[in-house]
């Protein structure tokens, strides 16, 4: 039995969960506890940065959400084409995975971190004054990423759902739009977000995370 260690509100955990749900892969979800620092829990002991998610597959431990998806595609395949079989298409999927992780999810998390007293210890709570300069810089980078993606979507097609791209794009766009709404001048990107949220594996992640929305430092919007 596979064991995935993580938290339902974590965007990177969504990446792995979407892949597991899409292929109906049997697994046990081990939710991290808020009672203990992550360093004292299994992910903190086996991940080089002490992060989630972490996958146990028998004696093998796989860290990093993208690597977990790659592992599932190889060792636990199913009907969802997580990694395109064509090598050239797989390169594009991996490129988009990095774009969504680094420039959408990454900048979204910069804004969140700007509200925290300590990015490495979120249990310490919020800063008395958010870092306004960091927030402005991260939002500018988000808008830049939105523009690139809007242009790319106008000239290319995505791999069929559910792929590595789906797993990266869904949580990235879900949370980033809370921080910097996708503009009316990016209709393709806005349509993609809506399309992703309608997918059953993604909708399941959204619903499972609802009880934890109070954790969002900026205040979760009353939508989605």
């Amino acid at each position: 039995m596979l064991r995935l260690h993580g938290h339902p509100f974590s965007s990177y955990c969504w990446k792995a969960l979407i892949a597991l749900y899409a292929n109906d892969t049997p697994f046990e979800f081990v939710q991290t506890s808020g009672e203990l620092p992550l360093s004292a829990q299994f992910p903190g002991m086996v991940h080089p940065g002490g992060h989630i998610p972490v996958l146990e597959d028998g004696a093998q431990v796989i860290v990093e959400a993208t690597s977990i998806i790659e592992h599932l595609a190889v060792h636990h395949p199913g009907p969802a084409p997580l990694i395109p079989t064509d090598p050239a298409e797989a390169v594009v999927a991996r490129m988009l995975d990095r774009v969504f992780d680094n420039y959408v999810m990454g900048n979204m998390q910069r804004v969140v971190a700007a509200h925290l007293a300590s990015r490495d210890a979120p249990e310490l709570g919020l800063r008395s004054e958010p870092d306004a300069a960091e927030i402005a810089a991260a939002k500018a980078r988000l808008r830049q990423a939105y523009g690139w993606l809007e242009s790319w979507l106008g000239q290319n097609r995505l791999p069929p759902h559910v792929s590595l791209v789906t797993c990266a794009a869904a949580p990235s766009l879900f949370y980033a739009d809370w921080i910097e709404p996708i503009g009316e001048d990016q209709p393709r990107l806005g349509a993609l977000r809506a399309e992703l949220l309608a997918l059953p594996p993604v909708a399941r992640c959204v619903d499972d995370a609802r009880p934890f929305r109070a954790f969002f430092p900026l205040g979760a919007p009353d939508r989605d």
Side-chain angles (χ1 to χ4, degrees), residues 85-171:
T85 55
D86 179 86
E89 293 180 2
V91 169
V92 173
R94 292 183 174 104
M95 176 189 75
L96 290 171
D97 172 70
R98 304 324 306 141
V99 168
F100 279 110
D101 268 14
N102 292 329
Y103 305 110
V104 181
M105 193 111 74
N107 284 305
M108 177 275 292
Q109 291 191 326
R110 283 178 65 186
V111 176
V112 171
H115 286 76
L116 300 176
S118 170
R119 181 170 188 164
D120 292 328
E123 65 273 10
L124 297 179
L126 302 180
R127 298 164 58 110
S128 56
E129 290 290 337
D131 187 337
E134 174 67 0
I135 291 169
K139 287 188 174 186
R141 287 294 193 178
L142 260 181
R143 292 190 295 270
Q144 182 179 349
Y146 289 170
W148 187 92
L149 286 162
E150 180 68 21
S151 177
W152 192 93
L153 291 169
Q155 302 172 46
N156 303 275
R157 63 180 181 85
L158 292 173
H161 298 312
V162 166
S163 74
L164 173 64
V165 180
T166 314
C167 298

Side-chain angles (χ1 to χ4, degrees), residues 6-76:
H7 193 280
F9 200 59
S10 163
S11 54
Y12 282 110
C13 290
W14 282 26
K15 283 188 67 174
L17 287 167
I18 291 166
L20 289 162
Y21 292 154
N23 280 325
D24 291 323
T25 307
F27 74 101
E28 176 188 356
F29 185 67
V30 183
Q31 183 172 321
T32 52
S33 170
E35 303 298 319
L36 294 170
L38 198 55
S39 60
Q41 301 178 59
F42 182 78
M45 297 175 184
V46 299
H47 190 290
H51 299 153
I52 52 176
V54 170
L55 181 72
E56 288 185 274
D57 188 354
Q60 191 170 7
V61 175
I62 301 92
V63 301
E64 295 295 301
T66 297
S67 298
I68 289 171
I69 294 167
E70 296 264 13
H71 178 88
L72 294 172
V74 172
H75 297 286
H76 302 276

